[in-house]
Structures are given as C-alpha cells and as structure tokens.
Amino acid sequence: MVHPVYAHLPITIFEEMSSLARQTGAINLGQGFPDDAGPMALRRKAGEALLTGTNQYPPMRGLPALRQAVATHYARTQGLDLDWEREIVVTSGATEALAAAFLSLISPGDEVVLFQPLYDAYLPMVKRAGGVPKLVRLTPPHWRFDRAMLAAAFSDKTRMVVLNTPLNPAGVVTPDEDLALLAEFCVKHDAIAVCDEVWEAVVFDGRRHRPLIGYPGMRERAVKIGSAGKMFGMTGWKVGFLCAAPALTKALAGAHQFLTFTTPPNLQEAVAFGLQEPGDWFQAMPAGLQRSRDRLAAGLRDAGFVVLDSGGTYFLNVDLKASGIDEDDRTFALRVVRDHGVASIPVSAFYAEDPVRHILRLCFAKADETLDEAVRRLAEARD
C-alpha cells in the first residue's frame, strides 16, 4: 500500500544523530543550526506583523513586498535582473521549492544528474517525480567535477541537473571554471539546472557566491533557490525563494500552489524587512561564522585531527583516515556521541552509492565555549 520510494526509507541521519544527542545530553555539532536566536529586529517585526497584520491567505506567489525585496537583494549582491512579478515565487522553505521544481519539471523517464555527496531530500523526491538519477561522485579534499565526469553522466535523456553550491556537507564554494563547465553541458544537452543556493550568503575568506543562472545560456534554463532561514540564521522559519524565467516560473508556481500554497504572512513581512534594511548583517554574519570556523579548526588541528578547508556553509570536515583513526565515519560518530558526548554527521550518509567513509562533518555555528568543549571531548575520543 506504500509507494516503493517511501516503503523502506529510514529516518534522516540528521534526525538520528540529533535524537542521540538529546538522549545522551551530547553537544550537537551534527544538525546545522546556530546557537544564536537570530536577528532581534526580524523577530520583532515578525511578532508585530502577527499581532497587527493579516493572518489570512497571502498571494499564492508570495507577498509583493517580499518578492520585490528578493529581486532587489539579488540585484545588489549578485548582479541579477529578476522581474519580481513574473520570476519569483515564495515557498515554505527551500525543500518545498525543490519539491515544486522536481514535480513540475521532471517527467517519468527523464534523467537527472545529481552530485554526491548530496542533500538527502534530492534522491527520494527525484525518484518520486519519475526521474532516473545519474550520480556523479565527488571526493575529498577538493570535491570537484571535471569534463570527463560530466560527459559520463549527461546524455540525450538528461532533463535536469541539480547543483548545490556552496556544497553541504563539503563546505565547498564551486569554482567559477566548474560552473562555466556545467553551464556548457546544460546548454549542449538542453538541460534545466536546479540550483540549491541556500548557503549563498555564508561564504568566507573574501569569496563571492556566483549563481549559475548568471552564466551564458543559463538565464532561461536555471532555477535558483534561496532560503531566508539560512540567510538570517533562523532555520525554523522555512521561507524560501524560487527564481526562474517566466515560462519556468509558471510551472513552478503551478506545483507550489498544490504543495503548501502559501507561507505565513508575518514571516514574509519580516524577511522582506530584513532584505530591505539588512544593516551590516550580510557582512557581520559571515565574519562571525568565519571566526567560529577558525576556532574549531585550530582546536581540532591542535588535537591531532586533519581538517579540510571550508569556504562556506556552517560546516567543516575532518579526515579521519588522515588523522590516524582506524574507524569508518559512522562507527566513529556513533561512538563519539554515545561515549564522549559530541554529535556529528558521517559524510557517508550523503552518498547513495560507493560512499566516502572517512569524512566527518561538524557544525561550527555555535558559541565559543561549546566549540572548545566539543574539541576537548573529540580529543579524548581520538586518544
């Protein structure tokens, strides 16, 4: 009676590790959420809008004020020229945006190129839409694809490619030359690119996020997805953005109207306010996270761990094998959460086949004292 995609689907690795963290009282460096409650001005605005504004259905595509703010934000930060009326849809989080894209743009039998490690929602949603996954395996330390890898994955049946940049869990900002190569393949094969760019505001060391939709040939064939929850560090808000050319947006909106239809209007008003009057948020937020990244990385290196570079997201990765640890990532992660009180995420969980089994993901969007105590416990676990 159950669809085969969901019949034997386990709980996500994030829920598994967070549940163990709650049971054991462990420090949770697994699931990616900050300790901080988020910008007070936005929270206050959401509260005021809840009490004094409308709580009835907003427009299906989103409040005009928010769609205008999204267009203005992307023009200012990424040089994009988006028509707020015809090219932007507000969704209940980026995962709903992904679902709308997959349901509206994939037909049964279409091939969909996916990069491993991959966000765990991609594969079941693509399969449920009738897509045929074609997996490209990325590996540490650089997590890059090349021409030969794309040539092996793309075919005359390729309908879509799904790109996540900055990449969770690897913490990699896709280099410009890789984006240009992917755009070339999309144009050659007439494929749509669904671009999961929820971490676009969380990049470090002077890097600049470049959206694939801005590359030659991609304006009419790319779907750009953003997330206010990631932009403002409030992951529970679930306010997402779909941005695409009008013909694609019409299809995306058609799927969205029968998924969640709308998103809470008070949250939309608050996000519009945050995008219109961000102050120094989009400079101070990544700078603070970069300091936390550096603190955790330095502590781990002092404890004997080999730490991979992190150019964006809330995450850095430890190479267990290079650190002299003779355990796979899942075994190590389970031992550490149960015996030493630190929850992490084994990166092997982000692979559907042929997983890399020696990389551990840690979230550094935490208070200094939390990171320091986590390092102490991880050092004990290593010893």
Side-chain angles (χ1 to χ4, degrees):
M1 295 178 67
V2 178
H3 191 279
V5 169
Y6 301 107
H8 303 291
L9 198 66
I11 63 170
T12 70
I13 187 65
F14 312 109
E15 181 59 28
E16 179 184 7
M17 297 306 292
S18 290
S19 177
L20 286 170
R22 290 189 294 270
Q23 293 171 24
T24 62
I27 295 171
N28 192 349
L29 301 190
Q31 197 163 15
F33 60 88
D35 279 350
D36 185 79
M40 175 58 75
L42 268 71
R43 290 186 282 139
R44 183 177 292 113
K45 187 71 174 180
E48 292 171 354
L50 183 68
L51 294 174
T52 63
T54 178
N55 289 290
Q56 308 308 329
Y57 294 125
M60 181 271 288
R61 290 196 179 199
L63 292 179
L66 177 52
R67 291 153 65 200
Q68 291 167 8
V70 170
T72 300
H73 173 78
Y74 284 141
R76 181 177 65 248
T77 60
Q78 298 176 20
L80 298 178
D81 181 16
L82 295 168
D83 182 338
W84 72 267
E85 290 186 282
R86 303 169 66 224
E87 297 187 319
I88 296 173
V89 176
V90 177
T91 61
S92 292
T95 301
E96 195 241 315
L98 288 163
F102 296 153
L103 289 173
S104 63
L105 301 177
I106 297 173
S107 296
D110 286 342
E111 292 185 355
V112 180
V113 176
L114 299 166
F115 297 98
Q116 302 183 103
L118 75 172
Y119 179 51
D120 58 0
Y122 296 165
L123 199 59
M125 288 199 292
V126 165
K127 288 181 176 180
R128 187 64 183 88
V132 178
K134 305 294 287 185
L135 301 174
V136 177
R137 183 177 184 265
L138 308 182
T139 58
H142 302 299
W143 313 94
R144 294 182 66 176
F145 52 83
D146 58 27
R147 182 174 295 275
M149 295 163 73
L150 295 186
F154 277 75
S155 77
D156 292 340
K157 296 181 180 179
T158 301
R159 170 63 171 168
M160 178 184 291
V161 59
V162 181
L163 175 70
N164 176 211
T165 182
L167 175 60
N168 172 23
V172 169
V173 179
T174 305
D176 291 352
E177 55 267 36
D178 294 14
L179 293 172
L181 179 63
L182 184 59
E184 176 190 326
F185 271 77
C186 288
V187 172
K188 177 182 177 181
H189 292 273
D190 194 23
I192 295 169
V194 172
C195 305
D196 180 352
E197 301 181 3
V198 299
W199 299 103
E200 60 196 343
V202 190
V203 294
F204 311 127
D205 305 312
R207 291 178 175 86
R208 178 172 174 263
H209 173 76
R210 290 197 64 190
L212 189 62
I213 197 172
Y215 279 73
M218 296 306 297
R219 187 64 176 80
E220 302 302 315
R221 65 178 69 255
V223 177
K224 175 180 171 61
I225 295 175
S227 167
K230 297 298 193 299
M231 283 181 175
F232 295 109
M234 295 183 287
T235 58
W237 272 33
K238 307 302 290 181
V239 179
F241 321 126
L242 276 167
C243 306
L248 290 177
T249 296
K250 182 178 179 181
L252 297 167
H256 162 69
Q257 70 180 334
F258 296 129
L259 286 170
T260 62
F261 184 67
T262 59
T263 298
N266 70 309
L267 298 184
Q268 292 194 53
E269 287 196 28
V271 172
F273 169 78
L275 292 174
Q276 290 163 342
E277 301 183 40
D280 66 349
W281 174 259
F282 290 111
Q283 293 76 45
M285 176 268 293
L289 287 167
Q290 182 175 318
R291 286 191 293 271
S292 296
R293 177 204 65 177
D294 292 345
R295 187 183 190 96
L296 179 58
L300 290 169
R301 291 188 177 109
D302 288 345
F305 289 97
V306 173
V307 180
L308 303 184
D309 289 339
S310 170
T313 76
Y314 294 162
F315 311 113
L316 59 76
N317 290 278
V318 169
D319 188 327
L320 299 177
K321 184 177 180 180
S323 303
I325 296 171
D326 190 23
E327 288 177 300
D328 66 72
D329 55 355
R330 180 172 173 82
T331 301
F332 183 81
L334 290 173
R335 179 171 67 83
V336 169
V337 70
R338 289 168 175 159
D339 298 344
H340 298 276
V342 179
S344 58
I345 298 292
V347 169
S348 59
F350 292 80
Y351 286 78
E353 61 184 34
D354 193 16
V356 172
R357 296 188 181 277
H358 58 95
I359 305 295
L360 195 73
R361 192 193 81 171
L362 300 169
C363 174
F364 53 76
K366 307 294 178 182
D368 288 352
E369 55 270 23
T370 301
L371 297 176
D372 294 345
E373 178 61 17
V375 167
R376 186 188 70 78
R377 296 182 187 187
L378 287 165
E380 288 182 352
R382 184 181 185 281
D383 295 338

